Amino acid sequence: MYRILTTISIYCSIIFATHAQQSIRGKVVDQQNQTIPHATLHIRETNQRFAADENGEFEISASAKLPFSIRATSVGYKANEKRVVQESDLQNIVIKLGAENQVQEVVVTSRRRQEQLQDVPIPVSVVTGKFVEEAGAFNVNRIKEIVPSVQLYSSNPRNTGISIRGLGTTFGLTNDGIDPGVGFYVDGVYYARNAVTTLDFIDVEQIEVLRGPQGTLFGKNTVAGAFNITTRKPTFHSTADAEVSYGNYGFVQAKGSISGPITDKLAARLSFSGTQRDGVLYNVATQKHTNELNNLGLRGQLLYKPSEKVDVLIAGDVTRQRPDGYAQVFAGVAPTLRAGYRQFEQIIADLNYDVPSRNPFDRIIDHDTPWRSGQDLGGLSANVDVQLGGGTLTSTTAWRFWNWDPSNDRDFTGLQALALSQAPSRHDQWSQEVRWAGDFSSNLSAVFGVYVFGQSLNADPAHTEQAGTHQWRFSQSSESALWQTPGLFDGLGIRSYPSMRSFSGALFTQFDWAILPNLRLLPGLRLNYDDKSVNFRREVYGGLQTDNPELIALQRGLYSNQAFEADIDDTNLSGQLTLAYKASERINTFATFSTGFKPVGLNLGGLPNQNGQPMLELAVIKPERVAHYEVGIKTQPSDNSLLNLTVYNTDVRDYQTQVQAADLSVNRGYLANAEQVRVRGIELDGNVRVQNWLSLYGSLAYTDGKYISFTNAPPPLEGTGGANFVDVSGGRLPGISEWAASFGGEVKTKPSQFLGQRGEYFLALDGFYRSEFSSNPSPSAYLNVPAYTLVNPRIGFRSQDGVSVTVWARNVFDTNYFEQLLPGAGNAGHYAGVLGDPRTFGITLRYAWR
């Protein structure tokens, strides 16, 4: 019996093997049908891997059940797949690979459909996920070095401003009572807080930067542009990516993702990112380095495809940041119009103090209040895409949160002027968008959308500003001996309880009508409703307890109780009209007129006092209204090159600006309206690929931004002590460099071998230049950031099997530069700088399994 069973078992095994193993034969070729030697092939359904021979041919036995897919990759070519459906397809398989050519292959979704970049009548800059990884551009602050029209300033995550063409977020310390002017979208979900721009990218597929007002295509209205970020979606075949980087200053960064099917209709993807770096400033008071990085992010997605016409994507993410960082260094002193004894140098001399270094690039501080910038962000979203009619109906539902736990030393010295400056907050938002995008006919397509958005922001539990033992000398406004009363200001502070609620609803649409084969008209409209309310309460605590009315007056001159409420709604109609003419397959032109607006603003940081009373007229800020004109031409001079030019003019009325006051109780500044500003400029960008070994890119932006009329502006730092308000009409807008440029390229070798891997060596370089710019809302002779240039080279090897090794450097010439300059709290005359990173270098190991 045993022998019989053994014989049957062997026989069955032979029969099974005979039926399970299938002979597969074919070749891999290029676009000219020339064979590609040593290409790597992968049968998706079995994860079986093999290679073509030196003639580009392959013949193997595989156990995959029909149907299955074979994926082919080779150095210098775009990966491609061949679907094998029936047995007759198993022989003479031909997989054709196109040469890597970013010029022809860039596809964007900015207009809610997949289109070639050059066909879109909008100025759009695209950064691929592959470039993000290879260039080490792991957050938006790095993206601004690739897209010169983008400006980003961050003295900490909450105080982060992002602008496009100089418009968007108010410059300086953040006031939560206004909406950003630049939309930030991840997989269709709008992120309302600019702090998100400090997060590490997780598993990014592509970043599209749209320039100009975007109200007829996106849910949330934006006056300056939008970031449209798409992440990699779950796949119905197994994939995995892993990356680890090591560098100086103890830099360690790890990233990874894994994706694959759970069932035939359900796939999942899990991604994470972690970054750690030691500080680049040294605090002589604590004998520790500060301004470190400490980030951890996690993102999970589920993709459900019940049919070919329905996709359901559920996503959740959470990010935790705990840096000991965002300290600013002492950068200089401006003489003010105050009396001699109120000048900064005299103040610190009277207190027998001096800063540890007068050279900010010594990177030395002596701050006595800890710097802390803890934040947690996350959320859930559900995207449902249903093919309906001639288009796609999309529903995007989302909820997000932001918890902010800071500590700052806003006097920027080792003195106890400000002992505490903290604004812990909790933000929640929810949004719902329903949109249809599709074709009515071959000549007419459209986008229709409904969008609702709500948010709440509250102190958690209170915002605190507290004077220290030396504050009396900074606040001293007369030579009365009462200022030196022992303990007068010690522990004196304010606790503020700002609370904001807002609701926004919109209907938006845009049509695309082909009037003639090469002439298209694109009208769009947006109807928007906004309702905002604020409840602000500020209470004084601490300080010397006294009945002396003169001493109380001195204390109240520093901090005073304040309370106000405001509730306002507003309706706006805006739109755009674009005429696009495609002169040939290689030339596409467009002209656009559009209007936009930024909703009403509410001051959430307290109001300045005038004659001892709060200026309640500043509680509500008028909406910002934009008229925008733009013409552009997109060209493809050759099969392997692009060259695009855009010229624009933007006029803004009631421009919302954040201004710094000498009033310490509103040391975060307050919001105001400038009557009119204008920004105009020219943008030129292009790239070229020379055969398959050299690629070059470059972007140049000229931007001229100025106040046409701002007659009620606060004085610059050096004007403190003079008039409370000045006319800065004709002055330049803050944060705008007249010239900015990005440039770079890559040189590759022919296929080579490294450690048994077939691949290519490469040498790449990216650079960024910006001319000097004003770093203060009111133009100042002292708060101007000098021009600088950054150069970031890298060299390495990448194999066709997904392994790569890169040695890199950032700011390789160790350029000393400021990101931003900020006046000290109370405008005593000193100012601080946000320093750019010094030279960093390291190595990155990466593996992509497909």
Side-chain angles (χ1 to χ4, degrees):
M1 179 63 73
Y2 175 78
R3 289 182 179 179
I4 294 174
L5 291 175
T6 302
T7 302
I8 293 173
S9 176
I10 294 173
Y11 178 78
C12 290
S13 297
I14 293 172
I15 295 297
F16 176 78
T18 301
H19 284 274
Q21 297 293 322
Q22 303 172 86
S23 177
I24 302 174
R25 181 183 302 167
K27 60 183 178 180
V28 182
V29 300
D30 61 19
Q31 295 297 310
Q32 285 73 44
N33 292 316
Q34 299 296 311
T35 57
I36 300 174
H38 306 294
T40 297
L41 296 109
H42 169 206
I43 299 178
R44 291 289 203 180
E45 286 71 12
T46 66
N47 292 325
Q48 183 177 359
R49 294 172 182 271
F50 52 98
D53 61 19
E54 65 274 8
N55 297 316
E57 298 177 347
F58 59 88
E59 182 176 4
I60 64 159
S61 295
S63 58
K65 294 180 180 180
L66 292 170
F68 58 84
S69 298
I70 304 178
R71 183 176 190 265
T73 59
S74 186
V75 174
Y77 295 90
K78 300 283 287 185
N80 195 17
E81 291 187 10
K82 180 75 172 183
R83 187 70 171 167
V84 181
V85 179
Q86 52 193 4
E87 288 190 12
S88 59
D89 296 333
L90 295 174
Q91 306 299 312
N92 299 320
I93 296 172
V94 177
I95 304 178
K96 185 171 288 190
L97 303 184
E100 280 190 339
N101 192 331
Q102 295 176 338
V103 169
Q104 294 179 331
E105 298 297 330
V106 177
V107 176
V108 297
T109 59
S110 305
R111 297 203 306 146
R112 305 312 193 183
R113 68 195 70 190
Q114 292 191 342
E115 299 174 287
Q116 292 290 332
L117 175 63
Q118 290 299 93
D119 293 336
V120 178
I122 302 173
V124 183
S125 299
V126 176
V127 183
T128 65
K130 180 180 178 182
F131 188 89
V132 166
E133 293 168 352
E134 295 193 349
F138 60 85
N139 59 27
V140 177
N141 200 31
R142 300 284 176 89
I143 294 298
K144 77 178 184 186
E145 299 173 10
I146 302 169
V147 184
S149 296
V150 173
Q151 299 91 27
L152 185 142
Y153 313 96
S154 181
S155 55
N156 64 36
R158 181 177 189 259
N159 293 320
T160 297
I162 184 169
S163 299
I164 296 177
R165 296 170 169 173
L167 299 174
T169 308
T170 55
F171 189 89
L173 299 181
T174 297
N175 192 306
D176 295 312
I178 61 171
D179 291 11
V182 173
F184 194 91
Y185 296 86
V186 178
D187 292 335
V189 178
Y190 172 70
Y191 288 33
R193 294 295 106 192
N194 281 330
V196 71
T197 58
T198 66
L199 302 184
D200 293 354
F201 293 137
I202 301 178
D203 224 4
V204 166
E205 178 72 27
Q206 185 163 281
I207 301 170
E208 301 167 18
V209 182
L210 290 75
R211 307 190 289 274
Q214 304 297 328
T216 60
L217 289 169
F218 287 84
K220 196 71 173 70
N221 181 69
T222 54
V223 296
F227 277 73
N228 184 32
I229 299 175
T230 54
T231 64
R232 297 185 176 111
K233 301 301 183 290
T235 57
F236 283 91
H237 50 267
S238 298
T239 67
D241 297 85
E243 175 187 312
V244 62
S245 300
Y246 301 94
N248 61 334
Y249 295 102
F251 178 77
V252 178
Q253 185 175 72
K255 296 181 178 181
S257 69
I258 185 170
S259 180
I262 298 176
T263 69
D264 291 343
K265 297 182 179 181
L266 182 66
R269 189 176 195 95
L270 184 64
S271 314
F272 77 91
S273 174
T275 305
Q276 174 66 56
R277 190 199 67 187
D278 297 335
V280 293
L281 303 182
Y282 185 71
N283 191 331
V284 297
T286 62
Q287 297 186 5
K288 290 174 53 181
H289 285 88
T290 190
N291 279 19
E292 64 180 24
L293 297 176
N294 189 345
N295 306 336
L296 183 64
L298 185 69
R299 182 178 182 83
Q301 300 178 83
L302 288 173
L303 175 61
Y304 177 55
K305 292 179 70 71
S307 71
E308 290 298 318
K309 293 188 175 183
V310 179
D311 284 3
V312 180
L313 181 67
I314 307 296
D317 67 280
V318 63
T319 295
R320 181 182 186 271
Q321 293 190 335
R322 293 295 184 272
D324 174 7
Y326 292 95
Q328 291 105 59
V329 301
F330 176 88
V333 179
T336 71
L337 298 179
R338 288 170 167 169
Y341 72 91
R342 301 191 68 189
Q343 302 294 324
F344 178 79
E345 297 290 5
Q346 186 61 55
I347 292 171
I348 63 173
D350 291 349
L351 295 172
N352 297 314
Y353 169 81
D354 198 4
V355 294
S357 174
R358 296 274 172 166
N359 179 5
F361 297 105
D362 287 341
R363 300 181 183 271
I364 294 174
I365 60 174
D366 64 345
H367 301 171
D368 53 331
T369 299
W371 286 89
R372 184 176 69 249
S373 298
Q375 62 172 343
D376 297 305
L377 303 94
L380 298 169
S381 65
N383 273 282
V384 181
D385 289 320
V386 180
Q387 293 182 26
L388 183 65
T392 301
L393 181 68
T394 300
S395 170
T396 303
T397 307
W399 164 81
R400 299 198 60 79
F401 73 93
W402 172 56
N403 293 333
W404 173 236
D405 180 27
S407 174
N408 309 288
D409 194 328
R410 285 281 292 121
D411 59 49
F412 307 127
T413 70
L415 294 170
Q416 274 282 302
L418 273 179
L420 295 176
S421 180
Q422 303 171 351
S425 303
R426 165 80 185 196
H427 174 264
D428 287 275
Q429 67 170 76
W430 61 268
S431 59
Q432 174 64 59
E433 180 174 352
V434 178
R435 181 184 67 249
W436 183 87
D439 300 322
F440 292 114
S441 68
S442 60
N443 296 327
L444 183 64
S445 62
V447 174
F448 298 96
V450 179
Y451 182 77
V452 291
F453 171 82
Q455 64 176 325
S456 65
L457 190 140
N458 298 282
D460 186 23
H463 295 180
T464 303
E465 302 286 341
Q466 182 176 304
T469 57
H470 302 115
Q471 184 59 58
W472 70 272
R473 187 61 187 85
F474 283 84
S475 299
Q476 184 179 359
S477 59
S478 72
E479 297 184 278
S480 167
L482 291 175
W483 288 98
Q484 301 183 47
T485 303
L488 179 63
F489 294 112
D490 290 2
L492 179 67
I494 48 174
R495 293 190 181 96
S496 300
Y497 303 90
S499 177
M500 182 191 71
R501 301 287 185 274
S502 73
F503 171 83
S504 179
L507 301 173
F508 60 94
T509 185
Q510 181 167 305
F511 290 86
D512 188 335
W513 176 30
I515 305 172
L516 298 172
N518 294 330
L519 183 65
R520 292 150 57 203
L521 185 67
L522 296 90
L525 280 176
R526 179 186 185 89
L527 177 63
N528 207 91
Y529 171 77
D530 290 280
D531 188 317
K532 291 186 176 183
S533 63
V534 61
N535 184 303
F536 182 85
R537 176 170 53 93
R538 187 173 72 199
E539 299 174 347
V540 178
Y541 69 91
L544 179 68
Q545 301 302 303
T546 177
D547 295 330
N548 186 324
E550 293 181 284
L551 295 180
I552 292 175
L554 294 182
Q555 291 179 331
R556 294 299 176 262
L558 181 65
Y559 292 133
S560 61
N561 294 329
Q562 191 175 106
F564 62 89
E565 294 184 10
D567 190 343
I568 191 167
D569 60 4
D570 188 35
T571 302
N572 286 276
L573 181 66
S574 60
Q576 68 126 49
L577 184 64
T578 296
L579 190 65
Y581 176 65
K582 193 165 187 176
S584 70
E585 287 300 316
R586 295 186 182 273
I587 301 175
N588 193 16
T589 63
F590 63 91
T592 296
F593 169 71
S594 60
T595 60
F597 65 94
K598 188 188 294 185
V600 292
L602 298 171
N603 262 306
L604 276 163
L607 301 175
N609 290 318
Q610 190 172 51
N611 301 321
Q613 297 297 320
M615 300 175 67
L616 296 177
E617 65 273 18
L618 293 176
V620 177
I621 305 303
K622 297 177 184 176
E624 188 176 286
R625 302 181 185 278
V626 173
H628 176 75
Y629 308 85
E630 184 167 65
V631 294
I633 179 171
K634 295 187 174 186
T635 70
Q636 189 172 349
S638 68
D639 290 342
N640 298 323
S641 64
L642 296 179
L643 186 63
N644 300 332
L645 176 69
T646 305
V647 180
Y648 66 90
N649 183 93
T650 306
D651 294 306
V652 185
R653 294 192 177 276
D654 295 321
Y655 173 75
Q656 295 175 345
T657 181
Q658 173 85 349
V659 293
Q660 190 74 19
D663 188 340
L664 192 63
S665 63
V666 285
N667 89 74
R668 298 190 52 77
Y670 64 95
L671 294 170
N673 286 114
E675 294 91 346
Q676 186 178 357
V677 307
R678 184 194 66 207
V679 180
R680 57 187 178 187
I682 302 172
E683 297 163 338
L684 180 69
D685 62 89
N687 57 67
V688 62
R689 182 177 292 274
V690 180
Q691 294 181 353
N692 200 38
W693 61 275
L694 173 64
S695 60
L696 301 169
Y697 77 88
S699 298
L700 179 66
Y702 167 78
T703 311
D704 174 31
K706 65 175 58 178
Y707 294 108
I708 300 301
S709 176
F710 193 8
T711 57
N712 206 31
L717 181 59
E718 63 268 29
T720 303
N724 289 332
F725 298 98
V726 295
D727 186 348
V728 298
S729 301
R732 59 179 175 168
L733 291 177
I736 297 179
S737 293
E738 190 173 39
W739 293 98
S742 301
F743 53 90
E746 181 181 271
V747 178
K748 300 187 299 185
T749 66
K750 293 181 178 180
S752 307
Q753 292 281 338
F754 176 70
L755 297 179
Q757 296 283 323
R758 184 173 178 82
E760 61 189 9
Y761 293 94
F762 64 90
L763 172 64
L765 179 144
D766 304 301
F768 174 63
Y769 165 80
R770 68 178 306 180
S771 60
E772 63 95 29
F773 64 91
S774 168
S775 189
N776 195 61
S778 296
S780 167
Y782 295 87
L783 300 179
N784 294 315
V785 172
Y788 62 88
T789 301
L790 304 178
V791 178
N792 312 313
R794 59 188 183 276
I795 187 171
F797 175 86
R798 50 181 171 241
S799 81
Q800 63 192 38
D801 292 328
V803 177
S804 69
V805 180
T806 305
V807 178
W808 49 264
R810 294 191 60 82
N811 188 11
V812 68
F813 297 118
D814 204 20
T815 300
N816 290 325
Y817 68 101
F818 294 108
E819 295 268 6
Q820 191 177 356
L821 294 172
L822 301 165
N827 290 17
H830 66 304
Y831 54 92
V834 178
L835 297 185
D837 284 346
R839 176 172 51 229
T840 57
F841 52 85
I843 185 170
T844 297
L845 309 176
R846 187 177 297 112
Y847 176 63
W849 184 68
R850 295 286 185 268

